[in-house]
Amino acid sequence: MTSRPSPGLARFNSAGAAEAAALLREVCASRSWGAEVAAGRPYGSVETLLAASDAATSGLTADDLAEAMAAHPPIGRPKPGDPASAREQSGVQDSLRARLLELNLAYQERHGHVFLICATGRTGDEMLAALGERIGNDPATERGIVRTELGKINRIRLTRLVAPAEEDPA
């Protein structure tokens, strides 16, 4: 016996190509990631969707990663009008914002891109500590960490995308 996809997953599976692309762009700004995930539809379960996301994330080129990161606001400064950004950065206390922004600028100067971390469930102090630890990483090490963090963010956002409203995860 096969189970049917959840209503949220069924809606995603049945969305038109343009709508699916727009939905996936809200999850991850990399067009190649979105195209690969969209091409795998229909998904029979959230787990297979997340596995497809993981595979697409692991296959991103340096340019694809840059495209994805460019859509993420700095930690401590959520994108105005973006509820996902505000929700994900809700652990940042106002008292830490200035220090986070200062270190973000130093990180960007060193690495050439925004500091990317899966902020969901982390406190501002945890993110500040991670930023302090990662700022000195060499480019290859940092690229690997960024890919892992992007994968976590994509999984959370995809799960939210296909969750029925009454089961919307935090």
Side-chain angles (χ1 to χ4, degrees):
M1 178 176 151
T2 59
S3 62
R4 292 181 21 187
S6 69
L9 184 57
R11 277 190 306 275
F12 172 67
N13 283 336
S14 64
E19 181 184 0
L23 290 169
L24 290 170
R25 197 103 162 113
E26 291 297 316
V27 172
C28 180
S30 166
R31 289 182 299 250
S32 66
W33 177 90
E36 188 170 332
V37 172
R41 294 183 311 147
Y43 292 100
S45 68
V46 174
E47 292 76 24
T48 58
L49 171 62
L50 296 177
S53 171
D54 293 344
T57 302
S58 71
L60 294 177
T61 66
D63 287 343
D64 297 331
L65 273 174
E67 181 180 35
M69 286 185 295
H72 286 269
I75 294 296
R77 191 173 58 202
K79 191 184 314 180
D82 180 2
S85 174
R87 181 178 51 251
E88 291 165 356
Q89 293 194 34
S90 64
V92 178
Q93 304 87 342
D94 287 339
S95 61
L96 294 178
R97 290 190 192 281
R99 180 69 178 137
L100 278 166
L101 288 172
E102 177 185 325
L103 277 176
N104 254 302
L105 291 174
Y107 176 96
Q108 282 181 273
E109 184 149 324
R110 176 169 170 80
H111 292 286
H113 57 79
V114 70
F115 172 71
L116 189 72
I117 189 168
C118 181
T120 300
R122 292 190 183 193
T123 67
D125 287 327
E126 290 170 330
M127 289 183 273
L128 187 60
L131 180 49
E133 290 170 13
R134 288 176 45 194
I135 199 167
N137 285 343
D138 64 86
T141 299
E142 193 56 21
R143 220 174 3 265
I145 294 169
V146 163
R147 186 181 303 277
T148 299
E149 293 298 311
L150 179 64
K152 292 175 191 176
I153 294 165
N154 291 350
R155 283 178 145 262
I156 290 167
R157 290 179 175 185
L158 273 174
T159 300
R160 181 175 289 284
L161 172 70
V162 299
E166 64 273 6
E167 294 179 24
D168 195 11

